[in-house]
mmCIF file of all heavy atoms in Angstrom:
data_model
loop_
_atom_site.group_PDB
_atom_site.id
_atom_site.type_symbol
_atom_site.label_atom_id
_atom_site.label_comp_id
_atom_site.label_asym_id
_atom_site.label_seq_id
_atom_site.Cartn_x
_atom_site.Cartn_y
_atom_site.Cartn_z
ATOM 1 N N LEU A 112 -2.474 -7.271 -5.345
ATOM 2 C CA LEU A 112 -3.250 -8.114 -4.369
ATOM 3 C C LEU A 112 -4.060 -9.157 -5.078
ATOM 4 O O LEU A 112 -4.233 -10.274 -4.598
ATOM 5 C CB LEU A 112 -4.097 -7.248 -3.430
ATOM 6 C CG LEU A 112 -4.712 -7.992 -2.265
ATOM 7 C CD1 LEU A 112 -3.590 -8.622 -1.442
ATOM 8 C CD2 LEU A 112 -5.534 -7.036 -1.408
ATOM 9 N N LEU A 113 -4.618 -8.850 -6.275
ATOM 10 C CA LEU A 113 -5.311 -9.892 -7.049
ATOM 11 C C LEU A 113 -4.368 -11.000 -7.447
ATOM 12 O O LEU A 113 -4.708 -12.165 -7.423
ATOM 13 C CB LEU A 113 -5.876 -9.228 -8.323
ATOM 14 C CG LEU A 113 -7.168 -8.416 -8.136
ATOM 15 C CD1 LEU A 113 -7.543 -7.717 -9.462
ATOM 16 C CD2 LEU A 113 -8.300 -9.286 -7.612
ATOM 17 N N ARG A 114 -3.118 -10.641 -7.802
ATOM 18 C CA ARG A 114 -2.119 -11.641 -8.107
ATOM 19 C C ARG A 114 -1.806 -12.517 -6.932
ATOM 20 O O ARG A 114 -1.789 -13.741 -6.984
ATOM 21 C CB ARG A 114 -0.845 -10.971 -8.643
ATOM 22 C CG ARG A 114 0.291 -11.907 -8.926
ATOM 23 C CD ARG A 114 1.517 -11.192 -9.371
ATOM 24 N NE ARG A 114 2.186 -10.416 -8.353
ATOM 25 C CZ ARG A 114 3.000 -10.913 -7.393
ATOM 26 N NH1 ARG A 114 3.298 -12.217 -7.443
ATOM 27 N NH2 ARG A 114 3.498 -10.180 -6.513
ATOM 28 N N VAL A 115 -1.640 -11.895 -5.779
ATOM 29 C CA VAL A 115 -1.348 -12.590 -4.537
ATOM 30 C C VAL A 115 -2.537 -13.496 -4.162
ATOM 31 O O VAL A 115 -2.353 -14.640 -3.790
ATOM 32 C CB VAL A 115 -1.012 -11.619 -3.413
ATOM 33 C CG1 VAL A 115 -1.026 -12.290 -2.027
ATOM 34 C CG2 VAL A 115 0.336 -10.988 -3.651
ATOM 35 N N SER A 116 -3.731 -12.965 -4.360
ATOM 36 C CA SER A 116 -4.931 -13.712 -3.994
ATOM 37 C C SER A 116 -5.058 -14.987 -4.880
ATOM 38 O O SER A 116 -5.339 -16.065 -4.379
ATOM 39 C CB SER A 116 -6.191 -12.862 -4.219
ATOM 40 O OG SER A 116 -7.332 -13.549 -3.886
ATOM 41 N N ALA A 117 -4.712 -14.855 -6.188
ATOM 42 C CA ALA A 117 -4.748 -16.017 -7.053
ATOM 43 C C ALA A 117 -3.666 -17.008 -6.617
ATOM 44 O O ALA A 117 -3.932 -18.238 -6.625
ATOM 45 C CB ALA A 117 -4.533 -15.600 -8.495
ATOM 46 N N ALA A 118 -2.507 -16.551 -6.278
ATOM 47 C CA ALA A 118 -1.445 -17.410 -5.847
ATOM 48 C C ALA A 118 -1.810 -18.103 -4.525
ATOM 49 O O ALA A 118 -1.556 -19.287 -4.309
ATOM 50 C CB ALA A 118 -0.157 -16.650 -5.669
ATOM 51 N N TRP A 119 -2.463 -17.331 -3.634
ATOM 52 C CA TRP A 119 -2.881 -17.899 -2.335
ATOM 53 C C TRP A 119 -3.902 -19.004 -2.598
ATOM 54 O O TRP A 119 -3.862 -20.057 -1.984
ATOM 55 C CB TRP A 119 -3.467 -16.803 -1.449
ATOM 56 C CG TRP A 119 -3.800 -17.333 -0.068
ATOM 57 C CD1 TRP A 119 -5.006 -17.798 0.307
ATOM 58 C CD2 TRP A 119 -2.966 -17.419 1.038
ATOM 59 N NE1 TRP A 119 -4.961 -18.186 1.642
ATOM 60 C CE2 TRP A 119 -3.723 -17.955 2.093
ATOM 61 C CE3 TRP A 119 -1.628 -17.086 1.242
ATOM 62 C CZ2 TRP A 119 -3.165 -18.150 3.333
ATOM 63 C CZ3 TRP A 119 -1.075 -17.296 2.470
ATOM 64 C CH2 TRP A 119 -1.825 -17.826 3.539
ATOM 65 N N GLU A 120 -4.799 -18.770 -3.516
ATOM 66 C CA GLU A 120 -5.832 -19.793 -3.839
ATOM 67 C C GLU A 120 -5.146 -21.068 -4.331
ATOM 68 O O GLU A 120 -5.521 -22.166 -3.888
ATOM 69 C CB GLU A 120 -6.758 -19.276 -4.907
ATOM 70 C CG GLU A 120 -7.962 -20.080 -5.173
ATOM 71 C CD GLU A 120 -8.934 -20.070 -4.010
ATOM 72 O OE1 GLU A 120 -9.148 -19.020 -3.403
ATOM 73 O OE2 GLU A 120 -9.531 -21.157 -3.718
ATOM 74 N N LEU A 121 -4.119 -20.957 -5.167
ATOM 75 C CA LEU A 121 -3.379 -22.163 -5.601
ATOM 76 C C LEU A 121 -2.734 -22.867 -4.434
ATOM 77 O O LEU A 121 -2.777 -24.055 -4.320
ATOM 78 C CB LEU A 121 -2.289 -21.691 -6.589
ATOM 79 C CG LEU A 121 -2.774 -21.278 -7.983
ATOM 80 C CD1 LEU A 121 -1.593 -20.761 -8.801
ATOM 81 C CD2 LEU A 121 -3.447 -22.431 -8.683
ATOM 82 N N ALA A 122 -2.129 -22.081 -3.536
ATOM 83 C CA ALA A 122 -1.407 -22.646 -2.397
ATOM 84 C C ALA A 122 -2.359 -23.371 -1.454
ATOM 85 O O ALA A 122 -2.064 -24.442 -0.938
ATOM 86 C CB ALA A 122 -0.652 -21.560 -1.660
ATOM 87 N N THR A 123 -3.522 -22.774 -1.176
ATOM 88 C CA THR A 123 -4.428 -23.329 -0.239
ATOM 89 C C THR A 123 -5.206 -24.497 -0.798
ATOM 90 O O THR A 123 -5.724 -25.323 -0.077
ATOM 91 C CB THR A 123 -5.417 -22.328 0.327
ATOM 92 O OG1 THR A 123 -6.142 -21.717 -0.734
ATOM 93 C CG2 THR A 123 -4.709 -21.259 1.139
ATOM 94 N N ASN A 124 -5.234 -24.608 -2.137
ATOM 95 C CA ASN A 124 -5.861 -25.799 -2.757
ATOM 96 C C ASN A 124 -4.923 -26.942 -2.940
ATOM 97 O O ASN A 124 -5.269 -27.919 -3.631
ATOM 98 C CB ASN A 124 -6.500 -25.367 -4.102
ATOM 99 C CG ASN A 124 -7.746 -24.582 -3.919
ATOM 100 O OD1 ASN A 124 -8.448 -24.715 -2.893
ATOM 101 N ND2 ASN A 124 -8.023 -23.700 -4.853
ATOM 102 N N GLY A 125 -3.711 -26.791 -2.447
ATOM 103 C CA GLY A 125 -2.741 -27.897 -2.558
ATOM 104 C C GLY A 125 -1.985 -27.936 -3.879
ATOM 105 O O GLY A 125 -1.230 -28.877 -4.072
ATOM 106 N N THR A 126 -2.200 -26.966 -4.743
ATOM 107 C CA THR A 126 -1.476 -27.016 -6.028
ATOM 108 C C THR A 126 -0.220 -26.096 -6.036
ATOM 109 O O THR A 126 0.509 -26.072 -7.016
ATOM 110 C CB THR A 126 -2.386 -26.593 -7.163
ATOM 111 O OG1 THR A 126 -2.900 -25.295 -6.896
ATOM 112 C CG2 THR A 126 -3.529 -27.599 -7.362
ATOM 113 N N GLY A 127 -0.050 -25.369 -4.959
ATOM 114 C CA GLY A 127 1.080 -24.448 -4.916
ATOM 115 C C GLY A 127 2.026 -24.896 -3.774
ATOM 116 O O GLY A 127 1.907 -25.966 -3.202
ATOM 117 N N GLY A 128 2.947 -24.060 -3.463
ATOM 118 C CA GLY A 128 3.878 -24.404 -2.393
ATOM 119 C C GLY A 128 4.386 -23.152 -1.746
ATOM 120 O O GLY A 128 3.911 -22.046 -1.964
ATOM 121 N N ALA A 129 5.377 -23.290 -0.909
ATOM 122 C CA ALA A 129 5.984 -22.167 -0.199
ATOM 123 C C ALA A 129 6.530 -21.173 -1.185
ATOM 124 O O ALA A 129 7.104 -21.544 -2.208
ATOM 125 C CB ALA A 129 7.103 -22.642 0.758
ATOM 126 N N GLY A 130 6.343 -19.901 -0.932
ATOM 127 C CA GLY A 130 6.771 -18.875 -1.843
ATOM 128 C C GLY A 130 5.967 -18.716 -3.100
ATOM 129 O O GLY A 130 6.348 -18.132 -4.060
ATOM 130 N N VAL A 131 4.719 -19.260 -3.070
ATOM 131 C CA VAL A 131 3.917 -19.259 -4.234
ATOM 132 C C VAL A 131 3.436 -17.863 -4.679
ATOM 133 O O VAL A 131 3.049 -17.657 -5.778
ATOM 134 C CB VAL A 131 2.699 -20.206 -4.057
ATOM 135 C CG1 VAL A 131 1.664 -19.613 -3.145
ATOM 136 C CG2 VAL A 131 2.086 -20.609 -5.400
ATOM 137 N N PHE A 132 3.507 -16.865 -3.789
ATOM 138 C CA PHE A 132 3.061 -15.535 -4.145
ATOM 139 C C PHE A 132 3.886 -15.026 -5.347
ATOM 140 O O PHE A 132 3.372 -14.273 -6.180
ATOM 141 C CB PHE A 132 3.302 -14.514 -3.012
ATOM 142 C CG PHE A 132 2.347 -14.671 -1.883
ATOM 143 C CD1 PHE A 132 1.388 -15.690 -1.809
ATOM 144 C CD2 PHE A 132 2.316 -13.688 -0.922
ATOM 145 C CE1 PHE A 132 0.540 -15.748 -0.765
ATOM 146 C CE2 PHE A 132 1.437 -13.747 0.168
ATOM 147 C CZ PHE A 132 0.520 -14.801 0.229
ATOM 148 N N GLN A 133 5.111 -15.494 -5.474
ATOM 149 C CA GLN A 133 5.968 -14.991 -6.533
ATOM 150 C C GLN A 133 5.724 -15.708 -7.855
ATOM 151 O O GLN A 133 6.286 -15.323 -8.916
ATOM 152 C CB GLN A 133 7.474 -15.185 -6.151
ATOM 153 C CG GLN A 133 7.830 -14.506 -4.855
ATOM 154 C CD GLN A 133 7.736 -13.008 -4.966
ATOM 155 O OE1 GLN A 133 8.012 -12.453 -6.034
ATOM 156 N NE2 GLN A 133 7.441 -12.325 -3.866
ATOM 157 N N ALA A 134 4.859 -16.750 -7.834
ATOM 158 C CA ALA A 134 4.721 -17.599 -9.014
ATOM 159 C C ALA A 134 3.910 -17.077 -10.152
ATOM 160 O O ALA A 134 3.976 -17.475 -11.267
ATOM 161 C CB ALA A 134 4.155 -18.966 -8.579
ATOM 162 N N ILE A 135 3.062 -16.049 -9.845
ATOM 163 C CA ILE A 135 2.172 -15.476 -10.882
ATOM 164 C C ILE A 135 2.685 -14.122 -11.239
ATOM 165 O O ILE A 135 2.567 -13.200 -10.464
ATOM 166 C CB ILE A 135 0.742 -15.464 -10.415
ATOM 167 C CG1 ILE A 135 0.262 -16.864 -10.078
ATOM 168 C CG2 ILE A 135 -0.132 -14.803 -11.438
ATOM 169 C CD1 ILE A 135 -1.123 -16.945 -9.457
ATOM 170 N N PRO A 136 3.248 -13.940 -12.415
ATOM 171 C CA PRO A 136 3.866 -12.641 -12.762
ATOM 172 C C PRO A 136 2.831 -11.581 -13.100
ATOM 173 O O PRO A 136 1.749 -11.923 -13.561
ATOM 174 C CB PRO A 136 4.741 -12.995 -13.994
ATOM 175 C CG PRO A 136 4.023 -14.154 -14.616
ATOM 176 C CD PRO A 136 3.421 -14.942 -13.506
ATOM 177 N N ILE A 137 3.162 -10.344 -12.864
ATOM 178 C CA ILE A 137 2.406 -9.222 -13.324
ATOM 179 C C ILE A 137 3.265 -8.535 -14.418
ATOM 180 O O ILE A 137 4.443 -8.305 -14.171
ATOM 181 C CB ILE A 137 2.172 -8.223 -12.157
ATOM 182 C CG1 ILE A 137 1.223 -8.802 -11.098
ATOM 183 C CG2 ILE A 137 1.623 -6.887 -12.659
ATOM 184 C CD1 ILE A 137 -0.220 -8.918 -11.587
ATOM 185 N N VAL A 138 2.642 -8.275 -15.540
ATOM 186 C CA VAL A 138 3.357 -7.573 -16.618
ATOM 187 C C VAL A 138 3.310 -6.080 -16.335
ATOM 188 O O VAL A 138 2.261 -5.520 -16.139
ATOM 189 C CB VAL A 138 2.702 -7.908 -17.968
ATOM 190 C CG1 VAL A 138 3.375 -7.152 -19.061
ATOM 191 C CG2 VAL A 138 2.760 -9.406 -18.193
ATOM 192 N N ARG A 139 4.452 -5.477 -16.252
ATOM 193 C CA ARG A 139 4.546 -4.041 -15.979
ATOM 194 C C ARG A 139 5.115 -3.347 -17.195
ATOM 195 O O ARG A 139 5.887 -3.891 -17.953
ATOM 196 C CB ARG A 139 5.428 -3.806 -14.775
ATOM 197 C CG ARG A 139 4.864 -4.346 -13.499
ATOM 198 C CD ARG A 139 5.720 -3.916 -12.299
ATOM 199 N NE ARG A 139 5.092 -4.301 -11.086
ATOM 200 C CZ ARG A 139 5.286 -5.485 -10.506
ATOM 201 N NH1 ARG A 139 5.994 -6.391 -11.044
ATOM 202 N NH2 ARG A 139 4.710 -5.743 -9.358
#
Side-chain angles (χ1 to χ4, degrees):
L112 191 56
L113 283 173
R114 178 181 68 83
V115 167
S116 181
W119 185 268
E120 190 70 38
L121 289 173
T123 57
N124 286 332
T126 57
V131 76
F132 285 9
Q133 303 294 329
I135 299 175
I137 291 289
V138 177
R139 294 187 174 88

